[in-house]
Structures are given as C-alpha cells and as structure tokens.
Amino acid sequence: MKRILVVLVALILISGGAGTRAAERSPLRFTIWSGNQAHLELLNGIATAYKRTHPSVDVRFDVVPFGDYVQKITIQIAAGTPPDLGWLLETSAPTFINAGTVVDVGRILRRDQAYGFDDFSKRALQLWVRQDAVFGVPFSTSPFITFFNRDLFKAARLTAPDQLAARGAWTWETLRRSAYAIARSAGQGVYGFESVDGQGYDVRVWHTLIPIIRAYGGDAWEGGQCRFESAEAVRAVQFYLDMIFKDRSVVPPGEQGDFFSGRAAMTMNQLSRVSKLEGAKFAWGVAPLPSGPAGQVAVIGQAAIVVFAKSPNRDVASDFLKFMTNTENTVKMAKFFPPARDSVLKSQEFLTANPVVSPAQMKIVADGIRTGTVLPNHANFPRMDAGARPVFDRLWRADADVPAVLKGVCDVLRPLLKD
Amino acid sequence: MRRDRETAWLRRGAWYVALIILSLPFVFPFLWMASGSLKTPAEIFAFPPTLIPDRWNWQNFIEIFRYQPFARQYANSLYIAALVTLGTLCVSAPAGYAFARIRFRGNTVLFLLLLTTLMMPAEVTIIPNFLFMKLLGLINTHVPLILLPILGANGVVSTFLIRQFFLSFPQELEDAAMIDGLGRFGVFWHVAVPLVKPALGAVSILTFLYSWNLFLEPLVFINDLRLFTLPLAINNFADAYGVPVWHLQLAATTLSVLPVLAVYVLAQRRIVDSFVLSGMKG
Amino acid sequence: MSTGPLILPRRARGRAFFDALHGYVFIGPQLLGFFAFVLGPLVAVFVFSFQDRDLLTGAVAFVGLKNYREIFADPLFYKVLSNSLVFTAGLVLLNITLALTLALLLSGSFRGVTTFRTVFFASVVTSAVAWAIVWRFILQGQQGVLNQFLEIVGIHGPNWLREPRWAMVSVIVARVLKNVGLNMTIYLAALKSIPREYGEAAGVDGASGWQVLRSITLPLLASTTLFVAIITVNGALQVFDHILLMTAGGPENATNVLVYYIYRQAFQFFQIGYASALAVLLFFVALGLTMGQWLLRGRSAEA
C-alpha cells in the first residue's frame, strides 16, 4: 500500500513538473484552430523567420478545437491569461470589437509603407475596419462557390454550370432546372442539390438562405431594419422551398445526401472543401454562386488575425501581426488560405497554389474574394441566431406559410437589431 | 428423452438469438465506427451504407500518428486515467467505508453535503475552477486533470457507490474482527475491502472511463498540443474550418476504445468473482 | 442484521471517540477536496448569480435579483425547464428498467456471458460523436434504417429528429442506449453480492422465478436502485453533448434543456451572471429531486 502511494505521489510530481517545464520563458501565445501539421509547419516557419530579425521573440501556436474556440479564449481572457494573438472568425468580429477585446492596429499597419495596407481589398476589410481603426487583418477570405458533379450533369445531358457561368447564364432558375432534371433521371438516392455541409436546416441556415435572398435583391437586415419580411426575401425563400417540396430535388430535412460521396449533383461551399474530393470517384468542377433577378452575388467567409487587448505584449504582438500579413508571408499562406491582398490574388503563385484546382477555377475564387461580402453580422448575432433558428425551423414543411414565418423571424430580430 | 433434449436446445438457441437481437442497437454504431476507421472520407457517407469497407485502408492508422503527436497524447490519457483510477480508489474507498460504518458527528450531514457536488453542471463551475488553478500556477499542466476527477463529481459517485455496498452487508464479520483486536484501519484493509471487490471493480471501470472521456477540463486547462488528451486530440482531426476529417477521427476513436475495453474485461473478473459469502450463511 | 456498533461500556466510550477520529481521517481527503474544488465554485456561482457579469468585457455589476426576475418572466425558461424534467423522467425510467433487465439476463454464467456483457458495454465506449452520427443516420425520415424497417411491418415512421414531438423521444432513446451499460455494470456488481442461496432456497420452497425476482431480488436491490436513481437523475439533468450533437436544442426548442440553455448564455452570449442564476435554479431542482428520493427510501432499512 505504501509503495503504491509513493509511486502515485512521484507520478503526480513528475507530471506537474513536466507541465510547468514547458512554460519557462514566456513566448508570444497565438491561438489557432487548425491542428494540421502542414499548417503548423507553415506558421512555425513564419515565426522562425521573424525570430531572425527579432531574436528575443518566440511565438507559440496553441491549437484550440474550432467548435470550442470562442469558449476557450473568452475563459482565458476573463481569467486574465489571454493569448497575445489569435485567429478570429467573422461571426465573432462585431462582438469582440464592440467589447473592446481586440487592439486597433491601424496606425502600425498604415505607418509602414513597405507593408502596403492599400493592397488589401476594401470589401474584404469591411468587417474589421471602423473608420480609421483596424481591429484585425483577414488571413483567410474564402468565397462560397458552387461545386458540381460533372458526371451527373453529363449523364443527364445538361450543360455544366461553369460553362453556363462563362456565358452569363448561370442563374437560380437554371440551377433549379438542372437539379430537377438530375434528381428525376439519376435514380434512387441521388439528389440535385445539397445545402452547405448538409446542415442547411440547422447550423447553416444563414449560409443557405442569404445567398439566394441577396440574389433576389433582399438581405437579412440593413441599417438596423429587419428585411426578412420584404417581398424579395419572401420570393427567394419560397423559390427554395419549392425546390425542396415541389421539385423534390433538394436533400430534404432529416435526410443525408452528401455531395462529396456523389449523392448530390451540386452543393455550395468554400474552397477548403476541395480536400474532401481526394479520391472522389467522379469528375467535378466549380462555378460561382448563381445569379438572380438582382444580379451576381458573392458571399465570403472570413477569419482574421487579431491582437488581444488584455495581452501584456501588445506592441510586440502587433508587430508580429504586421509581419505575418505582409505580402511575402501572405503569398506563403495563400497555399492554404485564400488571401485578401489584390496583388497576391492576381499572382501566378495564387492561381497555381492548389494542385487539384485549375487556374481558371482559382480565378473564380479570386473574383469572389474581390467582390464578395460576408454574411450578415451584428454584435448581437449569437442571440439573434439562438432566437431566429427555432422560427426558421417552421419553414421546412411542405405547407409552410413563408410570409408568416419570415415575419416571425423579424419579430425576434427587431429588438436585438436596435442595440 | 430425445425430445426433452431438443427443446432444451431450442430454448438455448432462442435465448442466444434474443440476446443477439437485443444487442444490435448497442453494437451496430460501434461496428460502424470501427469500419469507418478503414474507409476513405467519401465512403463513410456513401449510400447505401456499407459495413465492410471497399478497401481496408490501414494507412489511416498510420496517418493519425503523423497528423499530430498522437502517440504522446494517447500516453497522456493513459497515465492520467490510471492515476485518477488509483487515486479515486484510495480516496473513495476509505471515505465510503467511513460513511457506512463509523459513527462520527455529522456523518449523514457531511455525506449529503458531498452529494451536492453532483448538482451543479461543470460548464458553470469550470470558470471559478480555472481561476483557482491559475492562482496555483497549474494551468497547462496535467495536475487539474488528475485532481478534479478524484475530488469532484466522479469521486463523490464512487464514494456513494462504495458506501452503498458496505451498507448492504451485515457488520458481523467486521465487529468480530474489531473484538479480536484489529484496529479500525486493519478491519478496513483486511476485512472490509475484500468484501466490496465488486464495487471496487465497478468504480475502477466507471472512473477510468470518466477520465478517459473528459473533454471540458482538458479543453480549458491545456494549451500545448503535446499535453493534449485523447478527446481533444480526436477533436483536432479537423480542417482549418472546423470540419472533421472523419476517417482519421474514426480511426483514432477506434484505437482509443481498446484500453477501456481492456479495463472493462479485467474489472469484470473482479466483479464476477464470488468469494466471501459462503462464510456468511446462517 | 445490525447496522450500528455494539453497545459500549464506559471504557469503550474513549474508544468510540478514537474511532470517530478514524472516521474523520478516512473521509478527510475527500472532504478537503470538496471544500477546495467544489464548495468554492458553488459559492462563486451563487455570488455571480446576483451580478451582471460579462465574460468578454469583464464588466461586473451587482444587480440583486434582476437575473432571477428576468428568468421568471421569460417564457422560454419555462419551456426549457419542462423539457429538462420530461427528459430526465423519461431517461431515468427507461435507463433503470433496461439496466436492471440486462443485468438480470446477464447475471448468470452461461457460455459467452462475458462477451455479451462486453457487447452491451460497447456503446458506452463508442465516442459520443460517432454515436450521434450513426443515430442521426438511423433516424432519417425516408432513408433511415429505422423507418425502412418499420415500413416492412406497415408503419409509416415520422421524421424522428425533425418533428418536435418525436425529437425528445429520439434523443432519450439514443442516450439511454449509449449509457445503460454503466448502470448495468453497477447492477451486475450488486447482483453478484446477493448470495445465491437466497434465491435457491426460495426456489426449493416452490417459488417461481418471477416471484423470486419480485419478493427477494428486487427488495435486496432497493438501496442499489436508490443509488442508481440518484446518479442517473443528476446525470440526466446535465446531459449536454448529445443534445448539442443530435439536435442542437431544436427543432423549435423541443430539445432545449436547461444545461444547453445555460451553456449558450455563458459561452455564446457571455452573460455569466444570468447563466449562474440559471445554474442555481438547476441546482435547486436537482437538490429537490435528490432529497425527495433520499427521503422516500424509508422502506429499505439499510440505506
């Protein structure tokens, strides 16, 4: 018994020691949500390059799982052990900026001519810039594009979306007709269209509805007013609902029809999903988002690098941020993360960055980045999402009263939009 | 005579068939998980779904070690779970015994107080605990991951269970030993503990599993990838947009199941052994 | 069967005191740990509940009963609370019944019993994520295995996870199937401690298997059942991962339970004060249910 106790105590002491030994000299702590070795090599490489000119600065990348990222960093901030820098997703941007949790790095960035702040696409910066203040620099700006299964289109004898887009004929109407034709002809278990990650009825309901609503000239909200109940929005949503319940060409609620397994002819998603097509047994292609009565629409998802206000090393951290997002490093990161710098978007390195995606396809991505806007955002977005989603749930029925449901959404959103 | 044997055969057979059918919903997801670990990502969500993979991609199991320091993370989970299990037995067995057998002021009150541990969700108590650990300088170490399970909700459940088992035994054997001059500690170690081996076995399984599957505490307390435990590591098989890399997650999960099953089978023997009670009859 | 110590003569009263000291030493580590890591946070949560505390900005303000007033005025709170109670009731009843049944079935020793025990435990060791995925797949409306199976017998199954009425049932069943192996293990241990002679003697006296179960086995398991009930009730009130993974509180808030609601308040809206007030209310619900069960145990003289 005594022997066991001694071993136990020894083990605990060793483990405690092993843990604390890892935190000798405090490096800059940079939180990220990707644990991918290739990404880490890239990031560590940039940190090593920085160390050559700043020998006293070490950068340590802490990996936090994506789904729990916000939770973890807010606990750390609240407890007074914030990271120095970190990635931040677009949905958190207004909340964190309004709360004063992130540092304005505008002056540091603009001061340095070599940095070339104007190289950044204005639209891409929209979310992170308030007049002169710059609260974050986007390192990944990824537009949503249409993925399609070339084999299914060929089997149904339809023109592929990318060819239609080249002619300017890629619209929601043609998407609907293609989906319908393929769903009819392709047989059991194959659908015409799948929503983003198959989660269009729950987590990704915004990603699903906003592109089509915008294509019809509407939006979620504008200038503090809820626009879901507008005629354009109602038209757009009814169009999509008809695709689901009348045409039966869209993967219905509760069913699974994974595009990447060849079970749906089209889906919408970001470029990064290309990795899921490795080993795919079908030929595939990409096209921009379809246009609607209000014209072409591009929607982007973004993540930026921010410096946290409570960090004790704000100046050093801001300088590292500047280094990491300069042109040279943006080119390096463009291998994995679509950049927001115009010069890089036009470069050969970017267009040939991904071996699986052709330069012509990358150009679609580049156009999306330049012209795209993020999904509707708001400091109260978490509450709005929590309140609106149960109302959106009522849409997904064959007999849904679209105007009434959308009005219900606005009723929930209105008090939250005011703040 | 032969018909009797045949009906006995049929009864036996029906018994097994019934058990197999009953076990299907339990085992099917487990098999799906194991088979997914050998598939390509596209195959996992194919339709119609297949239980047997097209090709057995054993390289998935190699890739998980290349993706991150998985071996180290696995070892972390292993030694932490072992320590937590041992620690819980050392803390909860005496406590459970004392609550059941020893008369002292406040026995019931203190026990009920201890039970309140179960009534507050970890999501809320994690913030004060994080602040406390920060004060002690134990952030980014494994110490909170060992201390909190032993002394938190799982420890209380273990104490409760052991106390339960003691209460269901008559005290005669222990009283006899006390009269014989064995001190309280001696009675505990030589008489009482052997009595409740099934409970200790159950506690070992439950505690090992609890520690093995802990997610919130490691998430909050650990920053360094090399100090991750398995649930965090498995969650980390995801791309930069948070979308899980399924074939790697399932391969890692299948691997992580083995120690727990091993502990289960071993502890089962503890539970199954019937020992003492023949001496108790009458 | 006595459960107290023998009557002590005067000299032994000193020994009783010495014995009580042993008691305190035995429970010492557990109790110290409780005061350090449980009581402290509990008190902190109570204190937070009277504050407006923003996790992100760090702003703290004392607001008295404001959080509680807001909670009781919010119709969503009542929905969430009733969801939690219904969920708990359904889960506990199903879980305990199934656990006991399985334990009884597998308590004997026949060929392959250890294998079967391990099989029923396999669900416990399957990852929560894999479990959720497979069950979402099984519970699909048209393509789901369950509905296809029901079609064979002529029943048209609902869209299990997308209909408010059925979503709760689906999550309960999936959760019970995942965790029942744990309670089964506890019951197995308890059954093994019951001397076989009791049942055999009754069998010799002419009692049927069912009568033995009702009159001998179940009463002997009463205190174990109390234990299992208390643990399972408290566990059910705190189920979070399966709600998150299977339905995210939907559809239409049908599976929005108290813990999930608390999590969102704390980590998506960053309102720790409000979340703490909700947690305090959850605490009292759990306390009430546990005390209720504890006091009802009267019939079993041992617990």
Side-chain angles (χ1 to χ4, degrees):
Chain A
M1 177 69 176
K2 276 194 211 127
R3 245 186 290 152
I4 299 178
L5 278 174
V6 169
V7 172
L8 255 173
V9 171
L11 276 169
I12 293 180
L13 288 174
I14 294 174
S15 69
T20 45
R21 226 181 295 133
E24 265 163 342
R25 234 181 349 143
S26 340
L28 277 187
R29 275 186 51 226
F30 191 127
T31 46
I32 60 177
W33 54 69
S34 170
N36 184 301
Q37 283 291 53
H39 293 169
L40 282 171
E41 268 170 37
L42 168 69
L43 295 172
N44 280 318
I46 296 178
T48 317
Y50 189 73
K51 192 159 180 192
R52 276 189 232 120
T53 45
H54 299 78
S56 63
V57 180
D58 274 305
V59 182
R60 193 183 82 197
F61 294 96
D62 284 343
V63 180
V64 181
F66 181 76
D68 310 286
Y69 185 82
V70 174
Q71 175 190 4
K72 177 151 183 182
I73 61 175
T74 45
I75 291 181
Q76 292 186 348
I77 294 173
T81 49
D84 298 292
L85 301 118
W87 287 354
L88 200 63
L89 200 61
E90 81 211 47
T91 41
S92 311
T95 316
F96 274 68
I97 295 176
N98 283 15
T101 336
V102 292
V103 171
D104 168 16
V105 291
R107 208 179 308 153
I108 298 183
L109 296 181
R110 287 209 184 82
R111 203 164 40 190
D112 188 347
Q113 286 292 64
Y115 181 73
F117 183 71
D118 294 322
D119 190 20
F120 281 95
S121 148
K122 291 284 167 297
R123 299 202 86 157
L125 281 181
Q126 217 170 12
L127 200 51
W128 310 93
V129 166
R130 303 266 171 98
Q131 279 140 3
D132 281 337
V134 179
F135 290 105
V137 180
F139 72 93
S140 172
T141 306
S142 197
F144 283 86
I145 50 183
T146 316
F147 284 80
F148 65 91
N149 184 321
R150 227 182 261 286
D151 291 341
L152 284 176
F153 269 82
K154 218 186 281 181
R157 313 232 205 151
L158 296 165
T159 322
D162 52 1
Q163 291 167 312
L164 289 171
R167 285 194 250 143
W170 179 232
T171 65
W172 275 100
E173 285 289 340
T174 42
L175 185 149
R176 180 177 180 175
R177 267 181 266 138
S178 311
Y180 183 75
I182 295 178
R184 284 292 148 282
S185 62
Q188 178 67 304
V190 176
Y191 295 94
F193 183 81
E194 184 201 13
S195 57
V196 181
D197 287 331
Q199 297 173 326
Y201 302 110
D202 23 76
V203 186
R204 299 284 209 168
V205 68
W206 304 89
H207 296 79
T208 305
L209 293 178
I210 295 302
I212 189 170
I213 290 180
R214 282 189 181 159
Y216 273 73
D219 208 336
W221 52 80
E222 216 179 303
Q225 299 282 20
C226 177
R227 299 218 25 220
F228 270 112
E229 33 188 5
S230 65
E232 296 90 2
V234 171
R235 251 183 85 198
V237 174
Q238 187 66 61
F239 183 91
Y240 188 65
L241 269 174
D242 290 341
M243 278 181 68
I244 305 174
F245 293 108
K246 287 219 187 90
D247 297 356
R248 312 253 187 121
S249 56
V250 179
V251 181
E255 303 296 321
Q256 290 178 1
D258 184 34
F259 169 82
F260 300 96
S261 312
R263 297 209 35 222
M266 293 177 276
T267 189
M268 286 173 186
N269 221 316
Q270 294 171 305
L271 186 68
S272 58
R273 296 299 183 277
V274 155
S275 57
K276 288 178 91 169
L277 286 165
E278 255 170 82
K281 300 212 174 95
F282 54 90
W284 55 272
V286 300
L289 293 182
S291 61
Q296 187 72 40
V297 150
V299 176
I300 50 176
Q302 270 197 329
I305 306 177
V306 297
V307 174
F308 292 104
K310 284 206 185 145
S311 152
N313 308 307
R314 288 161 59 145
D315 296 322
V316 182
S318 305
D319 197 62
F320 183 69
L321 167 62
K322 183 161 75 90
F323 179 75
M324 191 172 224
T325 53
N326 65 21
T327 313
E328 185 190 341
N329 286 322
T330 304
V331 171
K332 283 195 201 143
M333 290 185 57
K335 185 152 176 266
F336 301 114
F337 306 113
R341 279 180 176 272
D342 275 328
S343 61
V344 181
L345 284 174
K346 297 202 192 90
S347 69
Q348 264 308 100
E349 286 116 323
F350 174 69
L351 293 174
T352 53
N354 197 319
V356 193
V357 184
S358 74
Q361 291 169 328
M362 284 304 257
K363 206 180 155 299
I364 297 174
V365 174
D367 289 337
I369 296 176
R370 249 186 250 109
T371 60
T373 41
V374 286
L375 287 170
N377 55 82
H378 196 280
N380 279 335
F381 186 73
R383 277 192 206 270
M384 294 161 85
D385 181 53
R389 266 220 258 139
V391 185
F392 279 128
D393 282 338
R394 287 190 256 142
L395 269 181
W396 311 119
R397 275 176 233 222
D399 57 353
D401 180 350
V402 176
V405 174
L406 290 180
K407 182 178 175 306
V409 171
C410 274
D411 289 337
V412 167
L413 294 181
R414 218 168 283 119
L416 296 165
L417 278 169
K418 268 194 215 117
D419 302 334
Chain B
M1 196 52 175
R2 207 182 295 154
R3 262 183 68 215
D4 275 345
R5 223 182 301 154
E6 279 173 3
T7 44
W9 253 97
L10 276 172
R11 270 238 212 97
R12 262 273 204 86
W15 174 245
Y16 278 104
V17 167
L19 273 182
I20 291 177
I21 294 182
L22 191 56
S23 68
L24 278 177
F26 293 86
V27 102
F28 170 68
F30 182 86
L31 292 176
W32 181 87
M33 174 186 86
S35 85
S37 65
L38 292 168
K39 293 182 179 169
T40 59
E43 228 189 311
I44 294 179
F45 293 107
F47 185 84
T50 53
L51 209 50
I52 317 239
D54 221 17
R55 242 190 9 164
W56 293 49
N57 297 16
W58 292 105
Q59 71 265 23
N60 289 353
F61 285 98
I62 302 182
E63 210 185 316
I64 54 181
F65 289 96
R66 279 203 231 124
Y67 191 93
Q68 55 183 332
F70 190 68
R72 170 98 186 247
Q73 294 158 339
Y74 202 93
N76 288 341
S77 269
L78 212 50
Y79 96 84
I80 292 175
L83 282 182
V84 170
T85 307
L86 279 171
T88 303
L89 287 172
C90 294
V91 168
S92 293
Y97 176 72
F99 279 120
R101 290 298 194 235
I102 306 182
R103 293 263 293 251
F104 56 89
R105 257 271 188 77
N107 182 321
T108 315
V109 168
L110 284 175
F111 178 67
L112 293 176
L113 187 63
L114 220 50
L115 276 190
T116 60
T117 312
L118 308 174
M119 301 173 195
M120 190 62 85
E123 284 82 9
V124 195
T125 58
I126 195 80
I127 296 174
N129 264 323
F130 184 78
L131 289 164
F132 188 34
M133 288 296 167
K134 176 185 150 225
L135 223 66
L136 296 175
L138 292 173
I139 299 297
N140 209 34
T141 69
H142 285 154
V143 177
L145 304 185
I146 298 173
L147 280 183
L148 289 178
I150 295 179
L151 301 167
N154 189 69
V156 168
V157 169
S158 306
T159 303
F160 193 174
L161 181 60
I162 293 175
R163 171 185 180 278
Q164 210 50 55
F165 266 73
F166 276 121
L167 288 177
S168 63
F169 281 112
Q171 266 192 243
E172 276 106 24
L173 214 55
E174 298 156 56
D175 294 340
M178 290 272 279
I179 295 177
D180 278 351
L182 215 50
R184 192 44 106 168
F185 192 77
V187 173
F188 169 69
W189 184 247
H190 293 286
V191 184
V193 166
L195 259 184
V196 290
K197 281 219 191 113
L200 297 181
V203 164
S204 305
I205 297 172
L206 298 179
T207 306
F208 193 89
L209 192 63
Y210 177 79
S211 168
W212 194 252
N213 284 340
L214 261 189
F215 182 76
L216 182 64
E217 285 76 357
L219 172 74
V220 170
F221 290 113
I222 305 288
N223 296 328
D224 195 339
L225 197 61
R226 286 164 305 156
L227 293 178
F228 271 20
T229 54
L230 270 186
L232 280 185
I234 290 174
N235 209 301
N236 195 37
F237 288 111
D239 67 18
Y241 289 91
V243 179
V245 184
W246 291 117
H247 63 299
L248 295 183
Q249 275 208 12
L250 292 179
T253 313
T254 308
L255 263 193
S256 80
V257 153
L258 301 173
V260 191
L261 280 181
V263 168
Y264 183 76
V265 171
L266 282 173
Q268 268 292 300
R269 302 243 178 83
R270 288 272 113 145
I271 298 180
V272 164
D273 278 346
S274 274
F275 28 67
V276 176
L277 302 172
S278 37
M280 291 294 299
K281 193 164 60 167
Chain C
M1 266 200 244
S2 70
T3 48
L6 314 171
I7 315 220
L8 307 166
R10 191 175 11 130
R11 182 178 51 135
R13 241 174 278 149
R15 245 197 276 155
F17 177 71
F18 189 57
D19 204 32
L21 273 183
H22 274 86
Y24 290 117
V25 169
F26 277 29
I27 67 172
Q30 179 102 76
L31 219 51
L32 281 172
F34 172 79
F35 283 113
F37 300 116
V38 179
L39 197 58
L42 269 176
V43 168
V45 170
F46 270 85
V47 170
F48 289 171
S49 73
F50 296 113
Q51 299 171 331
D52 245 352
R53 198 175 246 267
D54 189 309
L55 195 60
L56 204 51
T57 62
V60 179
F62 177 75
V63 291
L65 292 173
K66 170 169 159 256
N67 289 329
Y68 291 101
R69 263 184 269 131
E70 272 180 32
I71 291 174
F72 288 120
D74 183 6
L76 185 56
F77 169 68
Y78 295 100
K79 176 128 182 66
V80 163
L81 183 62
S82 87
N83 283 346
S84 278
L85 292 172
V86 167
F87 183 81
T88 301
L91 189 149
V92 172
L93 284 168
L94 188 56
N95 186 319
I96 295 186
T97 318
L98 192 55
L100 185 54
T101 310
L102 288 175
L104 286 168
L105 287 175
L106 299 179
S107 60
S109 49
F110 50 90
R111 187 102 64 91
V113 68
T114 317
T115 317
F116 272 110
R117 284 194 200 133
T118 314
V119 157
F120 285 108
F121 198 74
S123 59
V124 181
V125 300
T126 311
S127 86
V129 175
W131 189 260
I133 295 175
V134 173
W135 277 94
R136 274 209 306 253
F137 166 76
I138 294 175
L139 294 173
Q140 285 175 93
Q142 295 161 7
Q143 308 167 49
V145 172
L146 180 60
N147 277 354
Q148 293 194 349
F149 183 70
L150 288 175
E151 289 287 344
I152 299 180
V153 279
I155 309 175
H156 184 70
N159 200 335
W160 296 98
L161 290 175
R162 302 282 330 178
E163 279 190 36
R165 270 174 310 148
W166 287 107
M168 172 79 84
V169 171
S170 309
V171 179
I172 290 178
V173 171
R175 176 79 183 182
V176 167
L177 287 175
K178 176 131 191 2
N179 277 330
V180 72
L182 291 171
N183 283 345
M184 174 189 83
T185 304
I186 295 173
Y187 269 126
L188 275 173
L191 283 170
K192 269 302 161 182
S193 310
I194 296 179
R196 217 186 313 161
E197 293 85 15
Y198 290 10
E200 285 173 351
V204 162
D205 281 349
S208 75
W210 186 245
Q211 284 174 314
V212 170
L213 178 66
R214 262 184 53 208
S215 319
I216 298 182
T217 321
L218 280 182
L220 282 175
L221 286 177
S223 57
T224 309
T225 304
L226 174 69
F227 164 79
V228 167
I230 291 181
I231 301 301
T232 311
V233 163
N234 280 299
L237 283 170
Q238 298 196 15
V239 169
F240 174 70
D241 53 1
H242 278 119
I243 301 279
L244 179 69
L245 291 169
M246 288 182 78
T247 56
E252 299 178 49
N253 279 325
T255 56
N256 195 349
V257 294
L258 201 43
V259 167
Y260 187 71
Y261 193 49
I262 291 174
Y263 175 82
R264 304 195 89 171
Q265 290 292 335
F267 296 111
Q268 290 182 357
F269 311 159
F270 306 123
Q271 299 309 307
I272 286 295
Y274 197 80
S276 297
L278 287 167
V280 166
L281 291 174
L282 174 63
F283 177 83
F284 281 115
V285 169
L287 187 63
L289 288 173
T290 304
M291 282 299 109
Q293 292 173 76
W294 182 266
L295 293 170
L296 282 175
R297 83 199 192 279
R299 267 199 309 151
S300 138
E302 298 144 351

